[in-house]
Each structure stands twice: as structure tokens, then as C-alpha cells.
Amino acid sequence: MKIYTLLKVFIAFCFFNSMNAQNKASASASATIVTPIQIIKNSDIDFGSFTTNGAIGTLVLGADSKGVRVGSSNISLPNDSAKTASAAGFTITGQGDFAYNLILPTSDHLIYNGAESMIINGFTSSASKVLADGKEVIYLGATLHVVAGQSVGVYSSLGSGIEILVNYN
């Protein structure tokens, strides 16, 4: 009978301990530092030479490496090989195949000739927003607004210029 009682105690003890047994799990930690994203300006935006008949007009410069422009009906685009148009060019570098976000200006930018100004807005880009092989060359185009009676002259930015921002998604 003692063996039977000892057996009952042993079984109860094992059952009680198995019900209160603790289970563990563990996780490891890791971190990866990637190449910082950077942007470098290669060239400025240049709408090139044009003429106006004195009325309101617009000149749209495409976001490509060719400097393609389209003027409204009041804008004429002379063939001036000394003053070609060009979109702004930038090189973005960073971690290969990472996606990035490009933030274009949303407000108007002014260019001046000393007495008058013209507005630039409607910024566009050629960005694919993926750093294939860790690099992408992009172009920035925009729309130039000419007012009635705009003065002849060379117009350019003052101050900080046109800013674009990049960051990883």
C-alpha cells in the first residue's frame, strides 16, 4: 500500500509541475546601416532665350536632358545656339535599389532682372524614385510666367534658389 501511495504522490507531483512549467522564447536583435542619401546639383534651370509680343504668356521647360520648351501663343522661341535651354540636373546617390521620396517646390519662385520679376512654378521631375545601382540622375522642369509688357533683360534667382529635397521612403 505504501508503494501505491508513493506512486500516487509521484504522479501528482509530476502532473503539478508539468502544469506550472514555464516556456521560453527568445529573439535576436540586428540593425543595418545603409548609405546615406545625398543630392548634388549638376546644372541650373535655364529657360533660354525667347521673345514675347507684349502679352501674357507661359514657357514650359520639360524635365529631361534635352531642354525641350513649349511656349504659349504669345511666346516665340528663336534658334539661339549660344543660349540653349536646360532643365536643372541633379545626381542622387544612396543605397542601391532603395526607394526614395522627392519633394518638389510647391510655392512660386521669382527670378529678377533688377527691376522686374517673373514667376516660376509647376515644377516637374524625371525621377523614377528608385536608386538603381545606388544612383539616379534626375532633371527638374518648370513653367515660367511672363506678364504683359515684360521688360527685356536677363532674369535670375536671388537668394537660396529652387530647393528640392530627397529622403528614403
Side-chain angles (χ1 to χ4, degrees), residues 56-151:
I56 295 172
T58 58
L59 180 58
V60 177
L61 178 62
D64 59 36
S65 62
K66 298 176 181 135
V68 175
R69 308 177 293 169
V70 176
S72 65
S73 62
N74 297 324
I75 302 290
S76 296
L77 305 173
N79 188 6
D80 182 1
S81 61
K83 183 71 171 161
T84 58
S86 64
F90 299 90
T91 299
I92 301 170
T93 58
Q95 190 69 30
D97 299 322
F98 268 45
Y100 67 91
N101 186 31
L102 178 68
I103 302 168
L104 300 177
T106 56
S107 59
D108 294 344
H109 180 78
L110 297 175
I111 56 175
Y112 303 91
N113 73 349
E116 292 183 9
S117 64
M118 288 189 281
I119 295 173
I120 300 173
N121 60 21
F123 296 95
T124 60
S125 82
S126 64
S128 72
K129 300 184 182 177
V130 174
L131 292 174
D133 298 324
K135 178 179 177 180
E136 183 175 22
V137 175
I138 67 164
Y139 296 94
L140 180 70
T143 300
L144 176 69
H145 299 271
V146 180
V147 297
Q150 192 81 53
S151 294

